[in-house]
Amino acid sequence: MASKIIFSNLSRSDDYTILLNGHAGGTITPLKTNTVDLEPGEYELSVQGSNEEGLPSICKPIQVKMADNRTVHLKVDARNFAIGIYDDEGTQLNAKHGFLCGTIADGVYVDNPIA
C-alpha cells in the first residue's frame, strides 16, 4: 500500500513546489495542503519557492524513509530568510546546525546529517 506525506504551506503569499528525489511532485499554494502518495522507501525531500523578491527559493533537502502504509504531516514556511520543513512538533528538519536523526511519525524516519 502507498504511504503519504501531507505538506501544509504556512505562508500567506508564497507557492512552493515539492521536490522528491530532485523531481517536481506537486505544488502547495498559500495556506493550503497537498498530499503526495509514495511507495514505501527512501526519498530526498525539498521544496522550491517561486518568489521574485530575491529571497531564498530552495531549501536544504532532508532524507526520509517511509514504511508501508504510513502518513506524515510536514509544514513548509520561510522563517529567518530560509525555507524550512517542520514536523508536527515544530522541529525544523532541514536546519543548518546540529545533527537530526530519528522517528518523526509512526514508520517515518529522518536520517538527516546537518553540516
Side-chain angles (χ1 to χ4, degrees):
M1 296 185 78
S3 296
K4 297 178 189 228
I5 300 177
I6 302 168
F7 290 92
S8 292
N9 183 351
L10 302 181
S11 171
R12 294 182 178 272
S13 57
D14 294 324
D15 290 350
Y16 295 107
T17 300
I18 300 163
L19 301 175
L20 296 166
N21 296 333
H23 302 287
T27 300
I28 332 163
T29 55
L31 301 175
K32 301 287 183 187
T33 62
N34 188 350
T35 301
V36 177
D37 294 322
L38 301 169
E39 292 301 316
E42 295 183 31
Y43 295 91
E44 181 180 87
L45 292 177
S46 185
V47 293
Q48 182 173 352
S50 59
N51 85 43
E52 298 175 6
E53 288 83 31
L55 296 173
S57 62
I58 195 161
C59 80
K60 181 175 177 170
I62 61 173
Q63 310 300 319
V64 177
K65 184 186 288 186
M66 301 285 297
D68 192 27
N69 198 25
R70 301 298 182 194
T71 300
V72 65
H73 188 177
L74 301 177
K75 298 171 184 162
V76 179
D77 195 15
R79 299 180 194 167
N80 304 318
F81 302 106
I83 299 172
I85 300 174
Y86 300 86
D87 66 10
D88 266 343
E89 296 179 6
T91 302
Q92 185 174 355
L93 303 177
N94 64 333
K96 296 181 187 231
H97 304 291
F99 188 92
L100 178 66
C101 238
T103 302
I104 59 171
D106 183 32
V108 182
Y109 186 83
V110 171
D111 184 9
N112 192 34
I114 302 167

